[in-house]
Amino acid sequence: MISVALDGPAGAGKSTIAREVARRLGFLHVDTGALYRAIGLDGLRRGEDPADPAQVLPYLESTCITLEFTPQGQ
């Protein structure tokens, strides 16, 4: 398995480049930033304090995320 990670500041085009490189090479592109944002949003909606590990860790242990791939994207 090959894993490639891109790092850089917000708004630099990392996701755009990653999607295109993955497409050209026939790799699977996983938008980990979207996963982090989904977890964060759900936690905030539940009233979790993201700065409090005592709230975040139990939440993460009970959270299940499903990543689905369709012709339109993830």
Side-chain angles (χ1 to χ4, degrees):
M1 177 170 71
I2 297 174
S3 296
V4 178
L6 300 178
D7 193 16
K14 298 179 298 293
S15 293
T16 302
I17 291 170
R19 272 192 302 276
E20 182 60 19
V21 168
R23 184 189 69 77
R24 289 185 186 193
L25 296 176
F27 287 4
L28 176 66
H29 173 250
V30 177
D31 187 350
T32 56
L35 293 173
Y36 292 127
R37 289 188 297 276
I39 291 170
L41 177 60
D42 189 50
L44 289 173
R45 287 180 174 167
R46 292 174 177 236
E48 310 283 335
D49 178 358
D52 183 357
Q55 290 183 35
V56 175
L57 293 176
Y59 164 74
L60 291 176
E61 291 173 354
S62 67
T63 299
C64 178
I65 294 179
T66 302
L67 185 60
E68 296 180 8
F69 296 93
T70 68
Q72 293 76 33
Q74 297 177 42

